[in-house]
Amino acid sequence: MSAGETSLRIGDVARLVGTTPRTIRYYEEIGLLPEAPARHSGQHRVYTEEEVERLREVMRLKHLLGVTLEELKTLLTAEEARAAVRAELRREDVEPTRRRELLAEALGHIERQLDLVEHRSAELTKLHRELTETRGRVRAKIRALDRAGREPAASAIIVD
Amino acid sequence: MSAGETSLRIGDVARLVGTTPRTIRYYEEIGLLPEAPARHSGQHRVYTEEEVERLREVMRLKHLLGVTLEELKTLLTAEEARAAVRAELRREDVEPTRRRELLAEALGHIERQLDLVEHRSAELTKLHRELTETRGRVRAKIRALDRAGREPAASAIIVD
DNA sequence: CCTGATCTTTACGTTCACGTCAATTTCGAG
DNA sequence: CTCGAAATTGACGTGAACGTAAAGATCAGG
């Protein structure tokens, strides 16, 4: 057919995103990935580059947020909806009113994701700060010890 | 006995950190928590405030880093070692050489944790940036629509 | 000393997120 | 058309991280 349609099968996709066919089928099974991507001629699932990207995003979110696939599904309602929005918006004949609705919806989804990410980010940052402080204290003690090694003095180092 | 020793039992600890007794026993079982904290008079486990803090930290790391309990155990070797270091350092009769060794070791552990946290943090930040950008684009489209609503003009809005 | 609440160990059950067979089909190259 | 590689559905298996139930021991208050 045309040039831009790299027809991918489940094994290819698995290799591309670093997972297994079973996992991909499982994700489809639980509704994380859209129902059986158009089996073009026969039975085998056929994926587009776009769907590969989707899967990449899924696995990334899973890894980063460490949420269950069920929570992820909820979260991805956002992505799904946005995809729908994109599809509908691509048709230029939608009325501005409807168009605004769709965009507002998309915005809401994005903001939900952002909230989650920001929350997680803040927690991580806090932990990071704490660790850095501790490291600073330990380093200070080491330096103090090194100094004491060169100058003979009675130094009472308080720990922690 | 003395004043500062609030004798806590497993149920109390569970409520304090927001988990269940079973989970605490399980963590002890797999070696995530130190072996049976000194059952003072009879059979029941007795915890100190310090151990509660330890558990809090465990659950926090688990939540934030989303690692398996096995990985967490490895990570917590750091904490354990640091605790040992603190204990040994508290005795003032350790030689400066040994003292330096211990501190260096502690430093290494902390840096391992920091690496992990920083890595995770960077990924999250990246995701955050992407989301923010997308949100910006969506907002821009909405504003464009709102403007177009007031001025009658042929506006071809390209989506995504 | 009694009692109800809590804790003990032991052991089997459960959910999630896939892994792993097995028996059949389907696909693509020759 | 043929044949091997890869995909399909279906089913059962598995490891992690606990939940839950049972039967007895222990603790704190009255």
Side-chain angles (χ1 to χ4, degrees):
Chain A
M1 292 269 162
S2 63
E5 288 297 287
T6 29
S7 182
L8 299 162
R9 290 179 312 179
I10 200 167
D12 309 325
V13 175
R15 244 157 303 167
L16 281 174
V17 307
T19 184
T20 75
R22 166 62 180 159
T23 297
I24 299 180
R25 288 197 204 96
Y26 178 64
Y27 284 4
E28 180 186 324
E29 187 182 325
I30 65 172
L32 232 180
L33 296 180
E35 183 80 12
R39 328 241 172 148
H40 76 86
S41 61
Q43 280 290 307
H44 294 188
R45 290 169 182 79
V46 174
Y47 299 86
T48 79
E49 194 62 44
E50 188 173 358
E51 279 164 318
V52 173
E53 270 320 303
R54 154 95 174 190
L55 180 52
R56 275 218 181 82
E57 194 59 21
V58 167
M59 305 198 66
R60 184 183 178 196
L61 287 176
K62 171 175 144 65
H63 172 73
L64 274 181
L65 303 181
V67 297
T68 71
L69 294 184
E70 202 54 37
E71 296 171 293
L72 197 50
K73 204 160 83 179
T74 316
L75 248 179
L76 284 186
T77 306
E79 278 297 312
E80 252 177 73
R82 286 195 53 225
V85 165
R86 279 202 300 276
E88 189 167 349
L89 285 180
R90 234 185 283 281
R91 309 193 43 192
E92 51 148 51
D93 59 349
V94 277
E95 307 162 28
T97 311
R98 174 69 180 142
R99 189 179 282 269
R100 238 212 79 117
E101 267 176 41
L102 291 173
L103 284 173
E105 198 182 330
L107 188 58
H109 291 313
I110 293 171
E111 274 165 354
R112 273 187 54 207
Q113 288 189 336
L114 259 176
D115 279 356
L116 221 152
V117 170
E118 277 170 6
H119 191 226
R120 197 51 77 92
S121 231
E123 291 177 306
L124 256 185
T125 302
K126 190 176 165 202
L127 174 58
H128 185 273
R129 194 171 48 242
E130 288 170 9
L131 281 174
T132 308
E133 278 168 19
T134 307
R135 184 182 58 180
R137 283 200 302 275
V138 172
R139 278 181 176 160
K141 284 176 214 158
I142 291 182
R143 279 197 306 273
L145 254 181
D146 287 353
R147 275 197 306 277
R150 286 190 295 277
E151 306 167 20
S155 53
I157 299 159
I158 287 92
V159 180
D160 223 340
Chain B
M1 294 268 164
S2 63
E5 289 296 286
T6 29
S7 184
L8 300 162
R9 291 179 312 179
I10 201 168
D12 309 325
V13 176
R15 246 157 300 167
L16 282 174
V17 307
T19 184
T20 75
R22 166 62 178 155
T23 297
I24 299 180
R25 290 197 202 95
Y26 177 65
Y27 284 5
E28 179 187 327
E29 188 182 326
I30 65 171
L32 231 179
L33 296 179
E35 184 80 11
R39 329 238 172 150
H40 76 86
S41 60
Q43 279 288 307
H44 294 188
R45 289 171 181 79
V46 175
Y47 298 86
T48 79
E49 194 62 44
E50 190 174 357
E51 280 165 319
V52 174
E53 270 319 303
R54 154 92 173 190
L55 180 52
R56 275 219 181 82
E57 194 58 20
V58 167
M59 305 198 66
R60 184 183 177 197
L61 287 176
K62 171 177 144 65
H63 172 74
L64 274 181
L65 303 182
V67 296
T68 71
L69 295 183
E70 201 54 36
E71 294 171 295
L72 197 50
K73 207 160 79 181
T74 316
L75 248 177
L76 284 185
T77 306
E79 279 298 311
E80 253 176 74
R82 285 196 53 224
V85 165
R86 280 201 299 275
E88 189 167 350
L89 285 180
R90 237 183 282 280
R91 313 193 41 196
E92 49 149 52
D93 60 347
V94 277
E95 308 162 28
T97 312
R98 173 69 180 144
R99 189 180 283 270
R100 236 212 81 118
E101 268 176 42
L102 290 173
L103 285 173
E105 197 181 331
L107 189 58
H109 290 314
I110 294 171
E111 275 166 354
R112 271 187 55 205
Q113 288 189 338
L114 260 176
D115 278 357
L116 222 150
V117 170
E118 277 171 6
H119 190 224
R120 196 52 76 94
S121 229
E123 289 177 308
L124 255 185
T125 301
K126 189 175 165 203
L127 175 57
H128 185 274
R129 194 171 49 243
E130 288 170 10
L131 281 174
T132 308
E133 279 168 18
T134 306
R135 184 181 60 180
R137 282 201 301 275
V138 172
R139 277 181 177 160
K141 283 176 212 158
I142 291 182
R143 280 197 306 275
L145 255 181
D146 287 353
R147 273 198 308 275
R150 286 190 297 278
E151 307 167 19
S155 52
I157 300 160
I158 287 93
V159 181
D160 224 339

